[in-house]
Amino acid sequence: MLEGPIPQGTQIQSQNSSSFAENLGLCGVPLQETCGGEEEEEKEATKQEQDEEKDQVLSWIAAAIGYVPGVVCGLTIGHILTSYKRDWFMKSFQYFA
């Protein structure tokens, strides 16, 4: 005995509903009985899409949390090096110029 929705392939759709008569667990086209799981699948798919969107937002928030302090610390260190240790800073980059 088969159970569940009938696949929507072209070969199966060309069959008469009498071909599925002995399998009472089947549902969907070409039978008159509709499947109740389709609504649940749609709800589940929608929920998965929402979860993916939340994950993407959290990913961007994590990137911002890491990026902003990195820029602030980099600018602060750069300011300290150019202000207080100017000779050492210029000597270090003299070889590249």
Side-chain angles (χ1 to χ4, degrees), residues 37-62:
E38 292 176 4
E39 294 174 4
E40 293 175 11
E41 289 176 4
E42 290 176 10
K43 289 179 184 178
E44 190 173 311
T46 305
K47 185 177 179 182
Q48 287 178 351
E49 290 175 6
Q50 290 174 349
D51 289 344
E52 288 176 6
E53 290 176 9
K54 287 180 185 178
D55 289 344
Q56 289 176 352
V57 169
L58 290 177
S59 177
W60 281 107
I61 290 173

Side-chain angles (χ1 to χ4, degrees), residues 19-95:
S19 301
F20 306 104
E22 293 184 18
N23 292 303
L24 301 176
L26 292 176
C27 59
V29 179
L31 300 176
Q32 299 296 326
E33 184 178 341
T34 59
C35 299
E38 292 176 4
E39 294 174 4
E40 293 175 11
E41 289 176 4
E42 290 176 10
K43 289 179 184 178
E44 190 173 311
T46 305
K47 185 177 179 182
Q48 287 178 351
E49 290 175 6
Q50 290 174 349
D51 289 344
E52 288 176 6
E53 290 176 9
K54 287 180 185 178
D55 289 344
Q56 289 176 352
V57 169
L58 290 177
S59 177
W60 281 107
I61 290 173
I65 288 172
Y67 181 77
V68 172
V71 169
V72 170
C73 290
L75 290 174
T76 302
I77 291 170
H79 175 71
I80 291 170
L81 287 176
T82 56
S83 297
Y84 298 106
K85 303 281 186 176
R86 182 166 171 74
D87 296 333
W88 177 83
F89 182 76
M90 294 307 287
K91 189 188 283 186
S92 297
F93 289 100
Q94 177 181 357
Y95 301 111

